[in-house]
Amino acid sequence: MIFLEKSHEGHRARMKNRFLETGLKGFEKHNILELLLFYSIPRRDTNEIAHELLDTFGSLSGVFDAPVEELTKVKNITLNSAILIKMIPALSAAYLDDRNSVGMVLNSTEKIGAFLLPKFVGKTREHFLLLCLDNKNKLLSCTLLGEGELNKVQIQARKIAEYAFKVSASSVVLAHNHPQGFAFPSDQDIYATKSIQKILRPLDITLLDHIIVAGGDFVSLFESGLLAEVSEY
């Protein structure tokens, strides 16, 4: 029994040292979860648990995106372990988001997309964000408009105008995610965007773009030619 404990601790030490030397390079998906679970399951072989998680949820991202209540249904996954797992996408988003702060200049689709991608990490429902910019495309604010479908155009346009006036914005960018799909605008996305653009125009608020995010990809309605009336950034 003593030998088994020493062997177990030796394996954990080797895994930790390997991470310190090379990061996660060369780690299999189950090894990543195995290493993570060292910190919530101190005295049990986490390799088998890691395999069970991957078998249950299909992929590493599937494990991190799974609800806490589903994670705790997996054998040996306690609430503490489930919380630890759910912290990973949240921490990743916070880390990436912290590298992009209010005041940066977003004067291209690429910069806007890079700013927005971390905002949607780990989001399993549709979230709508509003970026307010000044006349030099400096970011003034990033606000959550809401969750769910953007189907109340008049209400959303009023909220957008209120936020824009509050920070004296010259232009705005809409963004939302497609959690289970592709970064491709639906007919409803296009209709809602053009309707909001039309409502904002008399208020001297320019809708520069609407960015749709899915996973690590994004699509710009402006670059897709769906907001042709808007001049380039």
Side-chain angles (χ1 to χ4, degrees), residues 5 13 59 78 85 92 104 108 113-114 121 165 177 183 201:
E5 288 182 358
S59 65
T78 63
I85 289 170
S92 299
M104 69 183 306
S108 70
V121 171
F165 285 137
N177 60 324
R201 190 181 297 117

Side-chain angles (χ1 to χ4, degrees), residues 76-232:
N76 295 314
I77 293 295
T78 63
L79 179 59
N80 280 344
S81 292
I83 291 173
L84 178 64
I85 289 170
K86 294 301 294 180
M87 283 180 65
I88 298 305
L91 286 171
S92 299
Y95 164 73
L96 292 171
D97 193 32
D98 190 60
R99 298 178 67 178
N100 299 312
S101 59
V102 170
M104 69 183 306
V105 176
L106 301 176
N107 56 1
S108 70
T109 302
E110 291 72 23
K111 289 181 180 179
I112 292 175
F115 174 81
L116 286 168
L117 284 176
K119 304 286 186 183
F120 296 103
V121 171
K123 296 293 189 295
T124 56
R125 295 187 60 196
E126 284 195 9
H127 283 63
F128 285 84
L129 297 181
L130 172 69
L131 305 185
C132 291
L133 311 173
D134 69 8
N135 57 5
K136 295 183 179 179
N137 295 315
K138 184 173 72 174
L139 181 65
L140 299 172
S141 66
C142 177
T143 306
L144 176 66
L145 282 177
E147 301 178 30
E149 296 182 354
L150 191 67
N151 54 7
K152 297 179 181 178
V153 172
Q154 295 284 348
I155 294 175
Q156 295 298 344
R158 185 169 67 247
K159 288 173 64 177
I160 291 167
E162 288 173 356
Y163 285 124
F165 285 137
K166 184 177 180 180
V167 297
S168 301
S170 299
S171 59
V172 297
V173 175
L174 288 173
H176 81 280
N177 60 324
H178 287 175
Q180 309 301 328
F182 299 96
F184 188 80
S186 66
D187 290 342
Q188 183 181 349
D189 292 334
I190 296 169
Y191 170 78
T193 304
K194 289 186 175 182
S195 297
I196 290 172
Q197 181 187 39
K198 185 176 180 180
I199 294 169
L200 294 179
R201 190 181 297 117
L203 303 176
D204 290 327
I205 300 171
T206 301
L207 176 59
L208 284 179
D209 209 340
H210 187 166
I211 303 292
I212 298 174
V213 175
D217 190 22
F218 70 89
V219 165
S220 157
L221 267 68
F222 168 70
E223 288 200 340
S224 301
L226 298 172
L227 289 176
E229 297 178 25
V230 179
S231 61
E232 292 188 16

Side-chain angles (χ1 to χ4, degrees), residues 23-52:
L24 294 177
K25 182 179 180 181
F27 274 63
E28 298 290 338
K29 305 301 183 184
H30 68 274
N31 293 142
I32 295 173
L33 289 173
E34 179 185 5
L35 176 62
L36 176 65
L37 292 172
F38 286 171
Y39 298 94
S40 61
I41 305 176
R43 298 188 180 281
R44 186 182 294 274
D45 182 0
T46 59
N47 184 282
E48 183 178 344
I49 302 171
H51 278 289
E52 182 67 22

